[in-house]
Amino acid sequence: MATAQGNPLTDIFLSRLDEGGYRVTESRQEVALAVFRQQDHFSVEDICRLLPTVGRATVFRNIKLMLEMNLVCRVVLEDGGVQYQVAERRHHHHLVCTRCGRTTDLLGCDFEDELRAKAKAQGMLLESHRLEVYGRCTECQAA
Ligand SMILES: [Zn+2]
Ligand SMILES: [Zn+2]
Ligand SMILES: [Zn+2]
């Protein structure tokens, strides 16, 4: 089975799996190839449609691993739907346009310390946080 096809993220994913003691099966490779080819955000269902022979649980499990490795990020849409984006990046947030659905990364997070303090005031030890910003993108404001 061919690997990378020019996408370094596929290689990174597969080699980290290998290092982590996961078996690099053919279906894992297929999921990796399909995911890292995505230019836009995608859902688990989108990947399932591309790979009719791979089970949904396998697709989901692999995307979850990619998420843990920070190779993809998760976007929660205004209606609660979940989508993913290929992004080899550390922690960041998203600006989601409620009209056209476009998602952009909101880089730079200044909230962690403040949230840590607020959580601590209520006896909670902060582990992580997530924030999506919903609004209208520049083009949709003009429309
Ligand atoms: Zn992102
Ligand atoms: Zn828009
Ligand atoms: Zn943050």
Side-chain angles (χ1 to χ4, degrees), residues 37 79 96 112:
R37 202 180 279 144
D79 66 3
V96 183
E112 186 93 4

Side-chain angles (χ1 to χ4, degrees), residues 116-125:
R116 189 185 309 282
K118 284 192 195 298
K120 199 177 165 202
Q122 290 183 233
M124 182 90 171
L125 179 66

Side-chain angles (χ1 to χ4, degrees), residues 9-80:
L9 290 179
T10 307
D11 284 343
I12 292 172
F13 178 60
L14 296 176
S15 66
R16 284 196 200 160
L17 281 179
D18 196 43
E19 287 160 19
Y22 291 95
R23 282 198 314 131
V24 180
T25 59
E26 194 162 323
S27 54
R28 275 197 203 288
Q29 295 186 37
E30 281 181 55
V31 175
L33 287 173
V35 164
F36 295 121
R37 202 180 279 144
Q38 301 301 309
Q39 307 284 330
D40 213 341
H41 43 73
F42 58 90
S43 63
V44 170
E45 283 66 34
D46 291 335
I47 302 301
C48 288
R49 263 194 298 277
L50 293 171
L51 304 172
T53 59
V54 179
R56 191 183 188 281
T58 304
V59 171
F60 186 76
R61 216 168 29 239
N62 281 286
I63 291 179
K64 195 161 172 277
L65 285 168
M66 292 165 188
L67 201 60
E68 286 164 11
M69 294 177 190
N70 286 312
L71 298 174
V72 300
C73 60
R74 177 163 50 190
V75 184
V76 181
L77 303 178
E78 201 189 21
D79 66 3

